Amino acid sequence: MDFDVLRRNVLEAIKKTQDVKGLEQIRIKYLGRQDGELIKILRSLKDLSVEEKRKLGPAANFLRNELEAAFINKLENLKLKIRNSQSNLDVTLPGKKVPVGHLHPLTLMENRIREIFQSLSFSVVEGPEVESDYYNFDALNIPANHPARDMWDTFWLRQKVQSSKFKVQSLLLRTHTSPVQIRYMEKHQPPFQIIVPGRVFRYEATDATHEINFHQIEGLMVGEDVSLANFKYIIEEFLKQLFGKNIHFRFRPSYFPFTEPSLEVDIQLGGKWLEVMGAGMVHPKVFDAVKYNSKEVRGFAFGLGLERLAMIKYKIDDIRLFYSGDLRFIKQF
Ligand code: FA5
């Protein structure tokens, strides 16, 4: 058969067919590997003379490529038509909801606490998570070998630092936000009132109310006439704004080396008292460490547990849920 005739026939057939099945039949008829018309021609080439082969061989290959491309092209067109005919676009249907991310309950809680204290004229200050033992302990009246160091199980770092102010300092992951009190007082003069939100770390066994990695918000108010009565007023105001007027809480005497007197605040959760905050009047030795005149200034300090307050607010009975990464938990907030 003449190449031109074959070419015309095939292209004509491709053009006419309107479905994938028919197209496939045409492909098998002309380009099929077993008995396709073109294959038959290619096979018959072997009986020709070398000269004829040279002439017809490339022409036959060229034709095969051209026809194959025409088939593929037609197939794509047919598929597109099918897809278009199937998409019954109904513009009156409601749109698909785009999933929007949201804040972690601890972030929500921290934002709310910042808001309340800012409304009470407190400024927000931050400090480093890797601390030296001077700021985490010594300056807070907890010297090396003092038994009170056992109150905070510590993650120590191997690395040490040397500075002009101190000889060699051991480094640790801060066990509370209280070291930022010292850092702030070294650089500022009273009166002031600050809060310090931040992440803290303790090398202790975890359970429903204890994590090794959690958050505290430190508070510090220093001035000439600051008293424990001021502390009680601020904390009552804070707790009422956070939880509402009917919140049950209690102040309980306690001990911290950097406050005197010291106390703790508990809130009821599921019939039990949950400790949410340590506090007290700043110890004169702490003022000495930052070179304040401890006879002239007074202040109160507190450190509250962010997770514990979020547990009460959102009625969560296990602290470990905050860090579980479980979306079923997170999506509820
Ligand atoms: C302190 O860390 C003191 N720095 C608080 C303080 C500041 C006292 C200023 C006086 C003046 P304490 O170890 O009790 O204290 O921790 C304070 C709060 O952090 C606790 O009341 C509790 O709410 C929370 N907390 C303590 N340990 C954990 C833990 N493992 N997991 C979760 N929350 C904890």
Side-chain angles (χ1 to χ4, degrees):
M1 191 193 276
D2 184 336
F3 280 175
D4 277 343
V5 177
L6 179 67
R7 185 171 174 277
R8 220 177 306 125
N9 287 351
V10 177
L11 292 180
E12 191 67 18
I14 291 178
K15 203 170 162 193
K16 275 196 195 136
T17 118
Q18 284 314 319
D19 61 286
V20 177
K21 228 179 178 179
L23 184 68
E24 179 61 8
Q25 277 164 4
I26 297 169
R27 196 189 64 75
I28 292 171
K29 183 172 173 205
Y30 292 103
L31 294 182
R33 279 175 198 277
Q34 298 290 330
D35 294 314
E37 298 284 334
L38 193 65
I39 289 295
K40 278 188 205 157
I41 296 179
L42 287 173
R43 270 192 213 127
S44 67
L45 287 181
K46 69 175 189 312
D47 303 327
L48 298 177
S49 69
V50 175
E51 211 159 292
E52 275 172 320
K53 268 188 211 162
R54 245 186 230 146
K55 212 170 105 199
L56 291 178
N61 275 329
F62 184 82
L63 181 62
R64 182 166 60 178
N65 289 343
E66 184 188 355
L67 295 180
E68 272 174 357
F71 272 106
I72 291 171
N73 212 354
K74 180 74 179 195
L75 187 63
E76 290 302 316
N77 276 341
L78 289 177
K79 281 187 185 162
L80 193 68
K81 260 192 202 149
I82 294 170
R83 239 179 285 140
N84 285 344
S85 69
Q86 282 172 343
S87 74
N88 307 324
L89 184 65
D90 180 355
V91 289
T92 63
L93 281 176
K96 274 192 193 144
K97 238 187 172 175
V98 181
V100 179
H102 48 98
L103 297 176
H104 189 279
L106 289 176
T107 312
L108 292 173
M109 196 66 195
E110 187 185 316
N111 290 349
R112 180 73 192 114
I113 294 174
R114 281 175 183 242
E115 240 172 57
I116 297 174
F117 277 107
Q118 280 171 329
S119 78
L120 295 167
S121 303
F122 279 69
S123 320
V124 181
V125 174
E126 289 183 15
E129 288 172 6
V130 172
E131 261 302 359
S132 65
D133 56 354
Y134 175 76
Y135 286 107
N136 198 82
F137 292 125
D138 299 61
L140 289 162
N141 193 29
I142 318 168
N145 307 320
H146 189 284
R149 281 210 181 189
D150 295 343
M151 287 168 76
W152 295 276
D153 303 296
T154 310
F155 286 109
W156 293 92
L157 304 188
R158 285 216 184 92
Q159 202 186 340
K160 294 193 188 296
V161 277
Q162 201 148 10
S163 70
S164 51
K165 190 167 164 192
F166 312 105
K167 276 171 256 151
V168 178
Q169 285 286 290
S170 297
L171 289 178
L172 48 85
L173 297 181
R174 66 178 175 191
T175 58
H176 49 180
T177 40
S178 300
V180 190
Q181 288 186 29
I182 305 296
R183 289 185 177 274
Y184 188 83
M185 288 193 285
E186 278 181 344
K187 296 213 169 93
H188 300 84
Q189 289 301 312
F192 59 78
Q193 43 206 26
I194 57 165
I195 56 160
V196 186
R199 191 175 177 192
V200 302
F201 309 84
R202 290 195 195 169
Y203 183 46
E204 59 183 40
T206 57
D207 62 24
T209 53
H210 292 84
E211 259 294 356
I212 56 170
N213 154 83
F214 60 101
H215 295 79
Q216 288 187 338
I217 296 185
E218 191 81 6
L220 178 66
M221 179 171 181
V222 181
E224 268 177 32
D225 305 310
V226 177
S227 72
L228 206 57
N230 298 130
F231 166 76
K232 286 184 81 174
Y233 171 78
I234 294 278
I235 290 307
E236 280 191 40
E237 190 58 35
F238 161 66
L239 291 177
K240 280 182 182 160
Q241 282 199 36
L242 189 61
F243 294 114
K245 289 214 160 57
N246 297 327
I247 176 78
H248 284 294
F249 60 91
R250 69 178 183 193
F251 295 109
R252 178 169 48 78
S254 186
Y255 168 76
F256 296 102
F258 36 91
T259 46
E260 179 59 36
S262 303
L263 56 132
E264 275 175 306
V265 182
D266 303 330
I267 297 183
Q268 255 180 351
L269 175 67
K272 279 194 228 151
W273 290 104
L274 186 62
E275 177 199 314
V276 296
M277 171 185 325
M281 296 302 291
V282 179
H283 198 289
K285 287 208 170 155
V286 174
F287 286 145
D288 291 345
V290 296
K291 309 214 162 39
Y292 282 5
N293 184 340
S294 55
K295 294 205 172 65
E296 283 173 10
V297 290
R298 282 154 30 100
F300 67 73
F302 60 87
L304 56 83
L306 186 67
E307 282 77 0
R308 300 265 179 102
L309 291 178
M311 286 171 78
I312 295 164
K313 177 88 181 168
Y314 302 122
K315 303 199 169 47
I316 295 165
D317 57 9
D318 197 321
I319 195 170
R320 291 164 290 196
L321 285 167
F322 289 115
Y323 300 99
S324 63
D326 188 337
L327 287 178
R328 288 169 307 175
F329 168 73
I330 309 277
K331 278 183 176 163
Q332 296 174 51
F333 300 93

